[in-house]
Amino acid sequence: MRMFFKKEWKFVNNMNERGFTLLEMLFGFSIFLILMSFIPLSLKFVASHSMFEARVQSLEWKVFVNQLKKEVRMSERMLNRSNQLVLIKDGDTVSYERYQENIRRRVNMQGHEIVLQQVDTVQYEATPSGVKVVYKDLYNQEHQAHLFMVMKDKAYDP
């Protein structure tokens, strides 16, 4: 039987003489293991990303409360209208209200300043000494703060 299309490759003989040594195999396997060792770290980073976002949200809440405390202390009058906190100071009306997934601040019903993001629910409860803010974010963390007004010649409307 005759074989057609039999072609002998000359470079195969040279390659077989060199071969693939055990040292090369160990080197390649060690590189593979080093690369595979980074997979659990990257998965941990992806999983902890949401935890990082929750921590950032907690810090944003603290900044928001500090700004609101200052504004409540400086206000002359405070109104609580259907999940909207209205502060009157120096003839200006400053309102804090939920807008989509944010809390926004408006002065004289103009502007749109986002003061807190990723809000699920927010409630303002008027108290005789100020206001209680109860807030729940999209990560199911609930925060609350009591903000006190300086009651010297200040009016209070629940």
Side-chain angles (χ1 to χ4, degrees):
M1 188 154 88
R2 254 206 261 188
M3 294 188 76
F4 294 106
F5 304 110
K6 183 178 179 188
K7 184 177 181 183
E8 193 173 312
W9 294 339
K10 293 181 182 178
F11 65 88
V12 173
N13 291 336
N14 290 338
M15 202 166 167
N16 285 341
E17 288 175 11
R18 271 184 54 205
F20 187 70
T21 63
L22 180 65
L23 184 63
E24 290 173 329
M25 192 265 312
L26 289 175
F27 182 70
F29 188 64
S30 64
I31 290 175
F32 172 76
L33 288 178
I34 289 171
L35 291 175
M36 289 299 117
S37 68
F38 288 114
I39 287 178
L41 293 174
S42 63
L43 291 176
K44 183 179 177 183
F45 175 74
V46 169
S48 70
H49 183 69
S50 64
M51 293 173 57
F52 175 75
E53 290 291 328
R55 282 185 269 144
V56 168
Q57 186 65 23
S58 178
L59 291 174
E60 284 183 14
W61 163 251
K62 291 176 183 175
V63 170
F64 167 70
V65 167
N66 285 329
Q67 290 174 344
L68 190 58
K69 277 182 187 179
K70 181 179 177 184
E71 197 135 42
V72 166
R73 272 188 246 127
M74 294 173 58
S75 65
E76 301 161 0
R77 192 168 176 205
M78 180 174 56
L79 306 164
N80 186 9
R81 299 183 194 154
S82 66
N83 291 337
Q84 180 183 25
L85 180 66
V86 179
L87 304 171
I88 299 171
K89 73 175 192 182
D90 300 329
D92 291 332
T93 303
V94 179
S95 65
Y96 287 88
E97 59 192 4
R98 186 166 186 262
Y99 177 76
Q100 295 173 353
E101 292 181 347
N102 304 315
I103 295 178
R104 70 177 175 181
R105 177 182 182 265
R106 298 175 76 188
V107 179
N108 294 329
M109 301 307 283
Q110 295 179 350
H112 177 79
E113 180 182 353
I114 301 294
V115 290
L116 190 61
Q117 300 177 7
Q118 298 177 347
V119 175
D120 188 28
T121 61
V122 64
Q123 295 174 345
Y124 304 103
E125 299 174 17
T127 61
S129 60
V131 65
K132 178 182 174 185
V133 181
V134 180
Y135 154 77
K136 188 174 180 185
D137 62 14
L138 295 179
Y139 302 103
N140 291 326
Q141 294 178 339
E142 187 170 309
H143 307 279
Q144 53 180 300
H146 298 276
L147 311 173
F148 300 101
M149 284 183 73
V150 178
M151 298 304 276
K152 187 190 315 179
D153 296 334
K154 306 266 181 179
Y156 165 73
D157 287 333

